Amino acid sequence: MTAESVTPQPVTPEPLWLVAANVVRWRRYGDGGQELRPGTKSYRGGAKVYVVDTYPGMGHEQVTTIGRARTGRWITVDTGSRHLHTFRAKLAYAPAVLRRAGAVGVRLRSREEAEELAALLERLAAEYRETHHGAPHPTPCLCHTCLTAAGPEGVTPG
């Protein structure tokens, strides 16, 4: 009998149903929200992130996300749900995301549960974007709400 050399195959974790979202391109900032800043401190505007946890007792105002930082490295950070948009259920395959999700202790979700959470977060995030700053928008405004309302033309008329 000859012993065959056995090379261990890398174990690929099972994909998880997570809620994916995008970071707003511009967010209101400062006194009365009259200044605009691109993205967030951690993420570039438009970056895709995965929501791995929420804080239901706080009305889902903060969520725990996994995504690529401005530096290009994968990070796990809590961010305001008002800074995210286009929530959707998505199967996560990236090993870095799955490793970080496992470290956070993400519970397994079905597709339907992820879709329900995505719909809830989309509704709440839109509400939080409107109510966070009590002052009117600057003119012209590049925040997510104004850019979405302006359509393909971009900037709202001022």
Side-chain angles (χ1 to χ4, degrees):
M1 295 189 142
T2 60
E4 294 181 20
S5 63
V6 178
T7 57
Q9 295 294 327
V11 177
T12 57
E14 289 293 315
L16 290 173
W17 279 105
L18 296 175
V19 174
N22 293 90
V23 177
V24 294
R25 298 236 180 242
W26 294 93
R27 65 183 167 94
R28 294 174 66 192
Y29 178 81
D31 292 336
Q34 297 302 301
E35 296 177 44
L36 295 168
R37 295 247 172 122
T40 67
K41 181 178 179 181
S42 302
Y43 297 120
R44 290 185 178 126
K48 178 174 153 183
V49 298
Y50 292 95
V51 176
V52 293
D53 198 12
T54 65
Y55 298 97
M58 295 174 44
H60 304 284
E61 285 185 21
Q62 293 283 322
V63 293
T64 303
T65 58
I66 297 173
R68 286 199 183 260
R70 288 180 175 269
T71 60
R73 298 186 67 180
W74 287 98
I75 60 170
T76 304
V77 67
D78 287 350
T79 190
S81 59
R82 71 180 183 276
H83 299 314
L84 304 175
H85 69 95
T86 317
F87 291 87
R88 62 212 178 266
K90 192 125 172 117
L91 264 177
Y93 293 96
V97 172
L98 297 174
R99 273 193 310 273
R100 288 181 173 275
V104 173
V106 172
R107 70 174 188 84
L108 296 177
R109 288 189 178 100
S110 67
R111 179 181 184 164
E112 292 77 24
E113 289 174 323
E115 287 172 347
E116 286 175 18
L117 181 59
L120 173 67
L121 290 174
E122 184 69 34
R123 182 178 55 81
L124 291 174
E127 179 183 323
Y128 294 146
R129 277 192 293 274
E130 285 303 310
T131 59
H132 185 73
H133 295 287
H137 292 248
T139 304
C141 187
L142 298 172
C143 78
H144 178 73
T145 305
C146 292
L147 286 176
T148 305
E153 297 85 36
V155 181
T156 55

